[in-house]
Amino acid sequence: MKGLKKILGLTLAAMMTISLVGCSSSGDDGGDSKTADKLQQIKDAGVLKVGTSAEYSPYEFHKVVDGEDKIVGFDDFIVQEIAKDMGVKVEYTDMDFDGLLGALQADKVDIVLAGMTPDETRKKSVDFSEIYYTNSNVCIVAKGKEDSIKSSEDLKNLKVGVQKGTTQADYVTSDKEGCLGISDATQLKKIPDLMLELQNGKIDVIVTGKAVAEINVKNYKNVAIGNTTIGDEVAETAAAAIKKSDDKVDNTAFLKSVNDTIAKLDKDGKIDEYMQQALELAK
Ligand code: ARG
């Protein structure tokens, strides 16, 4: 019995050694266990696949340029520079805002630029660049109703509309501390759909970013911006989202490249310039 156990033990040990050797050799010959560099993959492809939701003027919106429908806006100016610095072209996938991070996780896009706020919940599933723009949230109301909202609390007595899956929706509907807990707020997928509901009187107010509100009150009749900021003054921040690194793909150099471009644009005063240009384009 003793002898048999010993033989079995030796056989087991030998098998383990073989399997360990097998493991390391497949790593050495450049097999699947090697981590790929995302930045290099993008450079090799020659294309940066960008996910966005182009109904958030002036951040991103559709415009016919030289007879061709294009996605333009503030984020487009920035992502064109990000791509240029990597030596590649931009290719957009336009989708609903609440589908963007799913598309990023599923590798349908390499990066998301959509005026997206790097909040704590999102940070658990994806990485964000440095914040490239900071704005506040305000209300869009019917003209003449600018004073109907003196503080965020007043929203509780009104029919509120927000874009689905956004930080504004979270702030208005969630019952977390510091949020308003308005559970019956209207949540629609696109800002233009909310604007129609406001004009039809189905909702009293839309909570959205200040730059977005400013351009929409220019482009739609009979609407105005309410006379108060909603929530934190600096709540409406924007950053680029990329996938977190895993054992297959390393995104460190990619994220650094994105951040380097943002830092350069910021230093050169380009960010504010781009916002001004986007506001002009959106008129
Ligand atoms: N900043 C808000 C958020 O991250 C709203 C962004 C909406 N962007 C868009 N392209 N529709 O939730």
Side-chain angles (χ1 to χ4, degrees):
M1 258 328 246
K2 232 183 177 179
L4 185 61
K5 256 195 188 162
K6 201 170 177 186
I7 291 167
L8 270 175
L10 280 174
T11 320
L12 258 178
M15 277 167 68
M16 278 168 75
T17 318
I18 291 165
S19 71
L20 281 176
V21 169
C23 241
S24 69
S25 75
S26 88
D28 288 348
D29 64 21
D32 291 346
S33 59
K34 260 204 179 160
T35 314
D37 177 39
K38 182 73 183 178
L39 181 59
Q40 196 54 51
Q41 286 184 333
I42 295 167
K43 285 182 176 172
D44 291 346
V47 179
L48 178 65
K49 290 185 280 164
V50 181
T52 197
S53 181
E55 39 60 47
Y56 205 57
S57 171
Y59 288 83
E60 45 264 330
F61 52 101
H62 285 266
K63 188 165 180 135
V64 177
V65 183
D66 301 329
E68 219 186 300
D69 174 59
K70 287 232 153 110
I71 291 175
V72 296
F74 176 59
D75 284 338
D76 178 57
F77 285 121
I78 291 174
V79 86
Q80 293 296 345
E81 290 299 317
I82 289 172
K84 205 205 279 169
D85 287 347
M86 300 190 333
V88 300
K89 282 192 317 210
V90 167
E91 187 183 287
Y92 279 114
T93 306
D94 188 15
M95 66 189 102
D96 290 336
F97 184 78
D98 64 355
L100 283 168
L101 292 188
L104 186 62
Q105 300 289 24
D107 288 318
K108 297 218 165 79
V109 295
D110 303 316
I111 191 166
V112 167
L113 270 89
M116 188 176 274
T117 304
D119 72 357
E120 292 312 313
T121 317
R122 291 171 183 157
K123 275 197 220 161
K124 282 184 197 145
S125 59
V126 298
D127 282 340
F128 281 96
S129 70
E130 294 298 325
I131 289 170
Y132 55 79
Y133 200 69
T134 299
N135 212 201
S136 56
N137 285 311
V138 296
C139 291
I140 311 178
V141 292
K143 212 172 230 154
K145 295 272 173 73
E146 290 87 331
D147 285 327
S148 62
I149 305 150
K150 301 216 165 47
S151 79
S152 303
E153 287 294 308
D154 290 340
L155 289 173
K156 290 183 176 168
N157 305 316
L158 295 165
K159 285 179 277 169
V160 182
V162 281
Q163 188 179 19
K164 203 161 181 244
T166 59
T167 45
Q168 290 87 1
D170 206 30
Y171 175 73
V172 165
T173 62
S174 164
D175 54 12
K176 276 187 301 201
E177 210 192 310
C179 297
L180 296 174
I182 307 173
S183 55
D184 63 350
T186 300
Q187 300 190 47
L188 300 181
K189 287 194 180 263
K190 296 178 195 311
I191 294 289
D193 297 341
L194 288 162
M195 290 303 296
L196 284 182
E197 296 290 283
L198 181 65
Q199 289 192 311
N200 293 338
K202 296 231 174 73
I203 54 177
D204 301 316
V205 44
I206 301 168
V207 177
T208 189
K210 193 170 174 215
V212 176
E214 275 166 358
I215 209 68
N216 277 281
V217 301
K218 280 212 180 89
N219 291 343
Y220 288 80
K221 281 197 189 107
N222 301 324
V223 291
I225 297 183
N227 285 335
T228 185
T229 298
I230 301 300
D232 198 334
E233 270 306 324
V234 293
E236 177 64 344
T237 54
I242 71 168
K243 218 175 154 176
K244 282 190 192 289
S245 297
D246 54 30
D247 46 9
K248 291 205 184 72
V249 182
D250 184 0
N251 291 313
T252 318
F254 176 31
L255 182 59
K256 183 174 181 308
S257 175
V258 172
N259 276 331
D260 285 350
T261 303
I262 291 172
K264 183 188 72 185
L265 294 175
D266 191 34
K267 189 170 141 271
D268 297 347
K270 288 282 178 196
I271 304 262
D272 290 328
E273 209 177 278
Y274 289 161
M275 184 48 99
Q276 287 317 312
Q277 286 178 23
L279 287 167
E280 280 302 312
L281 271 178
K283 267 187 199 159

